[in-house]
Structures are given as C-alpha cells and as structure tokens.
Amino acid sequence: MKAFMDKDFLLETKTAKKLYHNYAEVTPILDYHCHINPKEIAEDRQFENITQVWLGGDHYKWRFMRSNGVDEKYITGDASDYEKFCKWAECLGKAIGNPLFHWSHLELQRYFGYHGVLSAKTADEVWNLCNKKLADPSMSVRNLIRRSNVTLICTTDDPIDTLEWHKKIAEDDSFEVKVLPAWRPDKAMNIEKPEYLEYLAKLAAAAGKEEIKTFEDLKGALQVRMEFFASMGCNVSDHALEYVMYAPATAEEIEAIFAKRLAGNAVTKEEELQFKTAFMLFVGKEYHKMDWAMQLHYGCKRDNNTLMYEKLGPDTGYDCINNYAPSAQMADFLNALIITDELPRTVLYSLNPNDNQSIGTILGCFQDSTAVAKIQQGSAWWFNDHKTGMQDQMISLANLGNLSGFVGMLTDSRSFLSYTRHEYFRRILCNLIGNWVENGEFPADMDILSEIVKNISYYNAKKYFKFEI
C-alpha cells in the first residue's frame, strides 16, 4: 500500500516519477487566467487566519459543505472564522474521492508543512498551526506567490476597471512577478440584463464619452478601453458565453435591437442572440488586429437556485453544467472570423466534458502556421479540474489534436493557495505520459519527453500568449 500523498503521489511508474521530479516540479508557474484581487497583491495582504485565505469566496468548498448538510451560517453566514473552519474540517474528513481532499492537503503540505490529515479530530491542531504561520511576514500574499514559483498572473478585469492596482504593482520594483489585466467584457455584451443601461453609462464615462447612443458608439467605447488595457500590458481576453453563435444580422438590424434596449424595452431571445453574435464578431476581429488571444468559456448554466441567488448573489456555488452542445455553432463562429482572415489565437473551454471530442475536431479545422496550436482546447475547467477530468481532456486532445502544444493548467481561482493545482495537474500529466511510455506506446526518449512536459507546464503558454517574462 502506498503512503498517503507522499512525494510520489499520483505517480505510478518510474518514468512518471522521473518526469515529475526532474522536470515538472522545478518548472515555474504561469497563471494566465484567475480571479484573484490585484489590490491584495498591491497591498501585500497578510491574512489573519486560515479561513480568510482558504474559505473566503471558494464556492467549491461551499458546495461540498452544503452537500454535507451544513447550515449556511457556517458557509457564507455570520459564524466566526473558527466555527467555519471547524465545519470545513469535519466535512473534509468525509471527502473521499473528491479533488477538494487532495487540493486541501497539498496546500497544507506545501504552505504550512502539515503532512497529517485534516478532520474534525485534528481541526484545532491545524487551526493553530496555520494561523501561527500566517502571522509571519513570509506568508504575505506576495510571498505566497513567490514561494509558489509564479512568474506571471493574469487577473480578470472589466472594461470599466481603472487598473489602478495593476499600475501600482508594475511601478513597484520590490515585486518581481508580473501582474497583468485580462479583458472580460461580459457586462458590455449582456444586453438582456436589467442593469445594462446603467453599465453603458459607466462604460461611456470610462471611455471619455458623453453617452453611448448606438452600437457603433459602443464599439468605439470598447476600442478606447482596449487601447488602455493594451497600454497596461493586456493581451488576453476572456468571455463567459451561454451561447456561441446565432445567424448573423445586418448592421441595421443590430442598431434597431440596440435602440430598442436603450429605450428601456426588453429584447427577445432571438434579438439577444443576434446582438451577442455581432458583439463577439466585432471583438474577435479587434483581438486579431491587436494580436490578443481570445478565451471562450461556455457550457455553464448559472445561478440555478433562485432562492439562494436572491440571498447571496452570483458565484456562490449554484451553477451547473449545461448539456447544450454548440459544436456546430462554434465552428460557424470561428469560420465567420477566418473568412476575412481575422481569427485571433483562441482557447476553447467547455464545462461539459461531453464536448471534448467535438472541440478536438473543431481545432483541426482552423490551425495554421501563425502559431503552434493556434486554436487550443483549454484545460479541464471548473467541475472538470479533477483527476478524471484532467486525464480525459488530455487523452482526448492527444487523440484528436496536439497535446505537446497544449498551454496547460490555470488556477481559475480566487485563492492565493491554489497554485498547488498546478502541481496536481503536473503529477497527472507526468503519470499519463509515464504510463504511455512504460506500456510501449511512446519511446523512452527523455530529451523529447522532458521537453514536452516542461512545455505543457509552462513554456507553451509563455510563447502562445506572447508574454515577455
């Protein structure tokens, strides 16, 4: 029987162990998509206790606690940080087979030197140990990033954001890690939302315009903000899509839809999708012009529990996989951009693992010589970033595309302890490749294998996104 989460955790073969310990383990981390707060980096926040750094905003943990029947008081409610931690410890002891069990214990091992098992019985021991360590200046936000061997972070930022914290970080010579904004214009696209007109007023102000009266005005305001983001080092966009592509409408039809919404009227579902298609085609062409990479996240049905949404708002653990499979529409969308040779480098993520094969076949339709794997399948995302999901995504990509050109893992997290997810991913990657080698499916050429592992871990993303590090 193997020891619990020892140095060879998840590594089943000699080849896997060599690939991980000699190459993957020592390779830096590039976090090209996350949701951490740049203000906390700029101010080098020091957390008061483990609950603040571990449970605050982590809807993965919240969902599991609810599955254990924990009262919301101990999840997002007014219970003390200590009480919330104890409830989490009690739940974690029951998390057999759940990636949260592995993630949490990797974080305890790497950041706090704790190699035991967190449960209700050890809650006080771990609480006291972690809080004592967190009080040390070496555990500030910046030092957590440093000890994780991170070289660059892309946050997630709205077009109206001032990027003031990014500016302060960039001007601070005492911090060597790059922290860049990533463009996330969902609010500018979501014409159906009740707060849309209020948002347009804020966007107009941010772009230095009196108001936005037409779709052409909206495009102009977005261009102004894109130029500002680019001046701050941004070259990556990100979109959360509930659809992919609808039959394109004429410019006149789009202006009429926009005017209808500006007048305070609701748009039909068909009008909404026509508008969003026009919006995405516009920004896609702008990204190509600016040499930005475009990330598309889809396959999610959000805010399913209306009762809890009204109490807690979005991003609180009430989203699910959408079984809608838009492969034909995605192909049409990419084709609509490539017709005029305006298709940017694009990363496709679906929350539905059933889309792996369709994405793998779409990729091959739009590759060219301008980049290795110009159209990428993104890493196993959200509900799929567990052992099975990661393996399935990489096997599918290897079967149908170019695994060696894969840009690898991202945290997609709000926690500064989540960099161990890269370790988790790299162990799974090395084990997968190691098994292929030792099964005689790929030659045991360590020069080639080590290059593949290092590239997927770090260097492919650096080259693909054109980061200067």
Side-chain angles (χ1 to χ4, degrees), residues 43 132 214 303 393 457:
E43 296 179 341
K132 182 179 179 181
T214 64
D303 305 322
Q393 184 268 343
S457 297

Side-chain angles (χ1 to χ4, degrees), residues 102-113:
H102 292 154
W103 296 347
S104 298
H105 285 96
L106 281 175
E107 291 168 7
L108 289 173
Q109 289 182 6
R110 301 296 172 260
Y111 297 106
F112 301 99

Side-chain angles (χ1 to χ4, degrees), residues 187-201:
K187 291 181 180 179
M189 181 184 71
N190 292 336
I191 193 171
E192 79 285 7
K193 297 293 186 182
E195 63 273 15
Y196 187 69
L197 300 185
E198 180 183 347
Y199 177 80
L200 286 184

Side-chain angles (χ1 to χ4, degrees), residues 328-371:
Q329 292 178 19
M330 179 57 72
D332 289 345
F333 173 65
L334 299 180
N335 187 53
L337 291 170
I338 209 168
I339 285 174
T340 53
D341 195 20
E342 294 176 283
L343 176 62
R345 284 165 287 126
T346 302
V347 187
L348 305 178
Y349 309 78
S350 176
L351 195 56
N352 190 340
N354 292 327
D355 291 345
N356 282 343
Q357 285 73 32
S358 62
I359 289 175
T361 59
I362 290 169
L363 305 179
C365 299
F366 299 98
Q367 309 292 22
D368 59 38
S369 61
T370 60

